[in-house]
Amino acid sequence: MTDPVPPTGTAGLRDDVVSARSVSGAEHPIVPGFHPDPTICRVGEEYYLAHSSFEYTPGVPLRRSTDLVTWTLAGHALEGDPHLRGGDANAGGGVYAPTLRHHDGRFWMITTNVSGAPGQLVTSAPAIEGPWAPSTLIAGVDGIDPDLCWDDDGVCRLTFSSNMASAPGIAQARVDLEAGRLLDEPRTVSRGSGLAYPEGPHVFRRGAHWYLLYAEGGTERGHAISVARASSPDGPFEPHPQNPIFSRRSTVFPVQNTGHADIVELADGSWAMVYLGVRPRGATPMFHVNGRETFLAGVDWEDDWPAVVPDRFRFPVPRTGFADEFDGPLDARWISPGLAPAEFARPTGAGVRILPAEAPNGAPSLLAARTTDAHWRFAAHTTASDAAAVRVRMDERHWAEVALVDGRAEARIRIGELSHAVADARPLAGGSRGLIVESRRATTGGPDDLVLAIADEDGERELARWDGRYLSTEVAGGFVGRTVGIRATTTEVLFTRAEYAPVEAQSRSQKED
């Protein structure tokens, strides 16, 4: 099936082992790559994470851990869900921030599909791996970032970032989850501290206080985390006198846009917080390409207020590389914009057959994985001479790919309304070839250089090198990060292997030799 270690001897790759080098949770994500809006809960000695998925399917990736720093992908809460099937979400739409909780022996997940009918989607499962029930739409809740909490009587409250004129800011209502209906009208419980866009609320209890943790300032450089408290989950909530309690805005810290947090009590009675951040690089205004990632901080308590300890946790660099020969069911890492992978990707035992298809949102089928490293290399292998392609993508208006066309290789890029192609004059040699996209150290002030190459019997040759800023959030906009994967352009293609690994960035002088 899937080998977590790329093959030794592959040009440009390092062995994918856990580095002996320890990193700080303040500077390195515990879940790298496009994994925004983290939400966390604990059951006994295990911890569970969920993330936004936006236009990609399956929806809402789920992870489990016993140590908070080593996370295993356990599946997706909205895989095959009827409310997402056939959806037409684009890169700015789809499934926004979820909340994951465990109550009365079941996991509950609630989220917003901003491209679907108004309301919030809620589903539950007896275990994190599922089976997850088909989601129920809770109507009458116009907004995003829904949260669930239960009081001592078992009454559930839904708290959310409201779009309702009747309940602006952060709103709340009691809800019957089994019936999928509100028990009262939403009402405002907080308008934030005065910064823009109060959102991402989570209500939780510690001792005599109920706390409202929320983000504000927008999910860009001004992002921040604030908190308020009350004696009841209904409020009224008293804001922390020094809000926001955590932000990296207007600093030179290598992780920026920090916000949208969730908090958890650990098995030993201490507390921790997960939050999103980005790692921008390059010249002003700096560019981030892997999307909003999940970071970990400690939490102390001072006068019954949470105090963030950003660098409490240290851990080895997480594993990110993989090699897949598609000799079994598709690994859960594979996602696609707008179309379920199973609808166009068919493992054969000797590779995967990719069919050309188009999602309802207009995106061509792409069996993709999230990029997770500052610099990396992705290679896919096929015997085809036509219709095979490897694409690195931000959205349908910002991507680059190497494709096979009538026995030759071609590098292509699209930046908004502009497109460009570079054709290889040399015909493909031999019966097997590799299509390669590599992220290398930047040479022109961007976050990296994207190198597109082809490998055949005559060796590996570079087709094009482009500034990676054009595939960044600062250029493309939106909320997602890069993905990279395989596709078929005009007819079915068999890929025998795909591999992704971090690479050590070369110096400019090394590249120019």
Side-chain angles (χ1 to χ4, degrees), residues 30-119:
I30 55 169
V31 186
F34 156 47
H35 293 99
D37 307 322
T39 174
I40 191 169
C41 67
R42 176 178 64 87
V43 183
E45 300 287 332
E46 287 199 307
Y47 303 92
Y48 302 91
L49 269 178
H51 305 272
S52 303
S53 48
F54 293 91
E55 69 173 316
Y56 284 92
T57 188
V60 186
L62 304 167
R63 282 178 165 74
R64 66 190 310 156
S65 174
T66 57
D67 61 6
L68 286 176
V69 297
T70 305
W71 293 90
T72 301
L73 186 59
H76 295 79
L78 294 179
E79 185 163 10
D81 191 84
H83 280 106
L84 300 189
R85 193 172 298 131
D88 60 355
N90 59 25
V95 176
Y96 275 33
T99 290
L100 181 68
R101 294 291 182 258
H102 190 267
H103 180 75
D104 269 355
R106 291 187 70 81
F107 286 94
W108 292 88
M109 192 284 300
I110 189 167
T111 191
T112 317
N113 176 17
V114 300
S115 302

Side-chain angles (χ1 to χ4, degrees), residues 492-503:
E492 179 182 291
V493 174
L494 176 68
F495 288 92
T496 56
R497 181 182 177 89
E499 56 205 34
Y500 169 95
V503 301

Side-chain angles (χ1 to χ4, degrees), residues 158-182:
L158 192 165
T159 309
F160 63 102
S161 178
S162 174
N163 294 330
M164 304 173 70
S166 60
I170 294 174
Q172 186 184 85
R174 295 181 304 148
V175 63
D176 182 337
L177 292 180
E178 299 288 352
R181 64 183 181 88
L182 296 182

